[in-house]
Amino acid sequence: MPATPASTRSATHSRPARQQSDGPPHASAAAPPWSGPGFEQLRAQDPQIADALLGESARQADGLQLIAAENFTSPAVLAALGSPLANKYAEGYPGARHHGGCELVDFAERTAVERARALFGAEHANVQPHSGSSAVLAAYAALLRPGDSVLAMALPHGGHLTHGSAANFSGRWFDFTGYGVDPDSGLLDYEAIRELAVRHRPKAIVCGSISYPRHIDYAAFREIADEVGAYLIADAAHPIGLVAGGVAPNPVPYADVVCATTHKVLRGPRGGMILCGADLAERIDRAVFPFTQGGAQMHTVAAKAVAFGEAATPAFAAYAQRVTANARALAEALEAAGLPVTTGGTDTHLITADTAPLGLDARTARGRLAAAGIVLDTCALPGPVDAATRRTGIRLGTAAVSTQGMGEAEMTRIGALIGAALREDGTARERTAELVRHFPPYPPHA
C-alpha cells in the first residue's frame, strides 16, 4: 500500500483543546442531549428519528454505562463520522480504486494506515473491516481453508462467536477445538493449551476472549503455535486500546495476524482493523477486499484515523492508566459488596463477577441494575461446560466511565451502588442519577 504523503504525528493532527486533558472536565449539571451538525434539519424533517437520537443521547448521559465493549468517542471522531466522506464509494485500496474521485479519501485511508502502524508497531495495517467479526473473518479467509482445524477459547469460557460458535460462520466452516481456563483460578492454563495443540495439530490458534480480565501471555502462545506449526491469530478486540495506551502487552510482535476493533477502549468509531507482517499483507488485503467486503466506509475510515491520532497522545496514555486503575478499584468494591470477582481481580478494563452469592442469576441481576440506571452485560463464568449446569455472572468495564472523568473514588461508589441495586435498595436509581450528573459524556462546551 502506498505510503502516506505526510507525517501522521504533526501538530495539525492534534486533538481539540478539550481532548488535551486525560478526560472531559467535570460539570455541575448534566449536559443537554448531544446534537450534531444538521440535527435541526433532521428534527424538522423526521421528528421520530430525531426523538430516538435525543432519547438515546439522554439515556447514555443519565445512567452508568458499564458495558465493557462501549465507550464515548470524541466530538472530533463524531464529526468525521457525520462528514461528506459518507457519500464516497471507494472499492479497492489507495491508488487502486474501482471508482474515480478518490484522491482525498485515499489520503484519509493512508493516514489511518500509517497511524495504526506507528501506534502498534506493525509492518502492515488494514483499516477497512466494518467490525471486529469482519476482521476475524478476513483473517481466517487469508490463512485457512474450509475444514481446517482451529484451536480457540471455548465459548462457555469466554470465547467470541467467531471462535467456533455453531451459529457463526466460524463454527460452520472450520473444525474448532476449544480450550478453557482453570475452573478454580479462572486463569489460562498454558500447559493444557499446549497439550490440546499437540493432540489436534491445528492450522491456526486463536488467542483472545470477550471476558478474560487478565493479560494474555502472547509469547507463550507463540511458542505453542511454533511447536505445532500453526498460525497465531490474536483477537485483541478488547485490550487493543490498552495496548495503544501502553498498559497492556502488545500482541503484534508475537502473532501472525492481530484482529481488533476500533471502538471499546480505543475510543474510536465502531469498526475493525487487522495488523500483520509484510509477508501476509497482500493476503490480508485481498481477504478483506474483494473476498469478504465491498466498498470501504470512508467516513468510518477517516474517523479511525482521528482516533489513532488521539491514541498516540500522552493524554490517551493517562486515560488508559486511569481505566485500569479504575477497574482494580471497582473490582475491590464489588468484592466488598458481596460479589466475588473471577481470577480475584483484573489487569485490564474488564471485570467479571458472580451474582450467585446474593441469590441471583445473572439475568435477574442485570434487570435490577438496569432499573437503577446501571447498564452492563451477562457472561459465562469458568466452570462446567454443560448447558444445564453452566454458571453465568455479570461482565462490566471501566472504559466509558473513565472517559467521563470518573476516578477511583467514583468506582468505590459504583461498587456500592451495584450492591445496593441488587439488594433492591429503593434509593439506588436516585444515587446513580446524582453521580452521573457531575460527569456528562459531552459537556456543553465540548
Side-chain angles (χ1 to χ4, degrees), residues 222-292:
R222 179 73 265 170
E223 290 181 6
I224 296 169
D226 286 344
E227 182 176 351
V228 299
Y231 289 111
L232 181 60
I233 301 172
D235 187 348
H238 272 276
I240 199 69
L242 300 177
V243 174
V247 295
N250 188 355
V252 169
Y254 303 99
D256 295 292
V257 177
V258 177
C259 304
T261 57
T262 50
H263 44 291
K264 299 185 176 71
V265 184
L266 193 53
R267 208 157 58 178
R270 292 191 61 83
M273 68 174 170
I274 304 174
L275 307 169
C276 68
D279 57 324
L280 293 176
E282 183 177 358
R283 290 169 68 177
I284 288 294
D285 284 353
R286 290 183 64 81
V288 174
F289 174 85
F291 191 75
T292 61

Side-chain angles (χ1 to χ4, degrees), residues 10-89:
S10 67
T12 59
H13 295 140
S14 62
R15 301 172 74 175
R18 186 183 74 84
Q19 297 294 331
Q20 293 300 324
S21 65
D22 62 0
H26 296 185
S28 59
W34 179 88
S35 61
F39 178 74
E40 291 306 321
Q41 180 178 347
L42 173 64
R43 178 147 54 184
Q45 178 178 320
D46 198 329
Q48 290 177 304
I49 295 299
D51 285 348
L53 187 156
L54 287 175
E56 174 60 16
S57 180
R59 186 199 66 79
Q60 292 179 19
D62 291 345
L64 285 165
Q65 309 306 321
L66 295 175
I67 291 178
E70 291 185 352
N71 210 333
F72 297 107
T73 67
S74 72
V77 169
L78 288 178
L81 282 172
S83 72
L85 272 67
N87 302 328
K88 190 72 196 83
Y89 227 132

Side-chain angles (χ1 to χ4, degrees), residues 32 46 48 71 131 142 179 181 190 215 252 256 258 260 265 281 311 339 363 369 385 397 410 416 426 443:
D46 198 329
Q48 290 177 304
N71 210 333
S131 67
Y179 60 81
V181 297
Y190 291 96
H215 292 321
V252 169
D256 295 292
V258 177
V265 184
L339 295 161
R363 291 181 67 86
L369 292 167
V385 297
E410 287 74 34

